[in-house]
Amino acid sequence: MTLDLSVDLAAKPAKTLPDAQTVTSVRHWTDRLFSFRVTRPASLRFRSGEFVMIGLPDDNGKPILRAYSIASPNWDEELEFYSIKVPDGPLTSRLQNIQPGDQIILRPKPVGTLVLDALLPGKRMWFLATGTGIAPFASLMRDPETYERYEQVIMMHTCRTADELAYGRELVENLRHDPLLGELYGEEFANRLLYYPTTTREETQYMGRITDNLTSGKVFADLNLPPMDAANDRAMICGSLAFNTDVKAVLEGFGLREGANSDPKEFVVEKAFVGDGI
């Protein structure tokens, strides 16, 4: 069961923190995962998939800041974030207790490698994530430009247990029935967004790590897709450092090359990593 908290911000409180934004809603998905929405700075412009620095002050008033991918698309009036809870983490031990109406620090300088412009044109887009690494893809999946550029979008998301997949599962289900996207792309839109959730510790429909399901060809068989190739497939990777390194090697095995904003290629990897100490 999830816990959803929200507040009416018709009269916003005065912003007292530096770069302060106000929390508008909080949703606890599990005892380890939560998402929250905050007001958006009027001047903030970002590309779906980018991240910003957010945080809270410590006991001495010094800001504790970490990189967080923006989970909302670039057209959203608010900003959404998806986070793990670390009991002793300098930031998340505090952040997990925020309530609607509270303030957080948000530095409005978005950056990141997981943007559409860092990839060459292609037919299929693969979003490859573990845990809260789905956050930038939550932004990109809700951006119509993604579907303008790619015929199919495949979201591969791996967590330990089924309840940790709830955020992504609900997001994809809502997108498949989104009236705007349906109007733009017709009734077949639901078939253009494919979702492949897997678990590693709990028995579910699909099991296994992303690397194993790619190298064995299982995901291609399950989704009735051809194996990856450099001519048609593009990919984005977001997870732990070890995950990113392992998946990068798998994609290179399929002939894909790592790109960047200044040098678009077939796949990109998120360089900003928030470790277990958050």
Side-chain angles (χ1 to χ4, degrees):
M1 180 180 294
T2 62
L3 179 61
D4 197 355
L5 305 171
S6 60
V7 67
D8 182 0
L9 290 180
K12 296 180 182 178
K15 293 181 169 62
T16 55
L17 293 173
D19 295 316
Q21 296 302 320
T22 304
V23 178
T24 61
S25 65
V26 182
R27 185 168 179 180
H28 294 273
W29 296 87
T30 72
D31 59 355
R32 296 184 70 250
L33 297 164
F34 71 109
S35 61
F36 58 98
R37 295 176 67 86
V38 304
T39 53
R40 177 173 177 170
S43 61
L44 177 61
R45 300 290 182 271
F46 70 95
R47 295 177 293 177
S48 296
E50 290 186 315
F51 65 86
V52 291
M53 302 297 291
I54 67 172
L56 291 169
D58 64 14
D59 293 337
N60 298 317
K62 182 179 179 180
I64 306 171
L65 299 171
R66 297 290 186 271
Y68 269 77
S69 292
I70 302 172
S72 47
N74 57 18
W75 49 262
D76 202 321
E77 295 181 354
E78 295 182 339
L79 300 177
E80 180 178 316
F81 299 95
Y82 184 48
S83 178
I84 194 172
K85 305 175 187 179
V86 178
D88 299 323
L91 177 58
T92 59
S93 61
R94 301 167 183 265
L95 195 62
Q96 64 184 292
N97 297 315
I98 58 173
Q99 301 286 328
D102 290 347
Q103 294 181 349
I104 69 164
I105 302 167
L106 189 152
R107 298 283 167 81
K109 296 179 180 178
V111 292
T113 54
L114 300 183
V115 293
L116 296 174
D117 291 340
L119 295 172
L120 296 171
K123 291 185 178 180
R124 289 178 294 272
M125 167 66 84
W126 295 78
F127 293 141
L128 311 173
T130 58
T132 55
I134 194 174
F137 306 138
S139 175
L140 285 155
M141 281 191 288
R142 288 185 272 194
D143 189 338
E145 186 179 357
T146 301
Y147 306 99
E148 293 289 344
R149 297 194 183 204
Y150 299 96
E151 297 174 9
Q152 279 189 313
V153 173
I154 304 100
M155 179 71 247
M156 292 186 73
H157 187 206
T158 296
C159 294
R160 301 176 309 168
T161 58
D163 61 349
E164 294 179 345
L165 292 165
Y167 175 83
R169 183 186 304 112
E170 181 174 302
L171 172 66
V172 172
E173 187 63 24
N174 289 340
L175 275 172
R176 284 175 168 167
H177 297 92
D178 182 88
L180 172 61
L181 292 173
E183 182 178 337
L184 286 172
Y185 304 112
E187 295 181 357
E188 77 283 355
F189 170 73
N191 298 323
R192 295 181 59 188
L193 176 57
L194 305 180
Y195 179 49
Y196 196 78
T198 61
T199 52
T200 56
R201 296 190 184 179
E202 181 180 353
E203 189 75 27
T204 56
Q205 180 183 6
Y206 300 119
M207 300 286 295
R209 301 179 182 278
I210 286 175
T211 48
D212 294 338
N213 285 317
L214 284 171
T215 54
S216 69
K218 186 177 187 301
V219 62
F220 309 124
D222 287 341
L223 298 181
N224 193 30
L225 294 173
M228 279 192 186
D229 67 74
N232 297 296
D233 294 285
R234 304 293 175 260
M236 294 185 176
I237 309 169
C238 190
S240 68
L241 286 174
F243 170 79
N244 290 355
T245 300
D246 291 345
V247 176
K248 176 180 173 179
V250 171
L251 296 186
E252 289 173 342
F254 285 114
L256 279 64
R257 301 164 299 168
E258 183 177 0
N261 279 272
S262 59
D263 185 23
K265 291 288 189 348
E266 289 84 31
F267 76 88
V268 286
V269 182
E270 182 51 83
K271 297 295 194 296
F273 171 67
V274 178
D276 292 339
I278 61 174

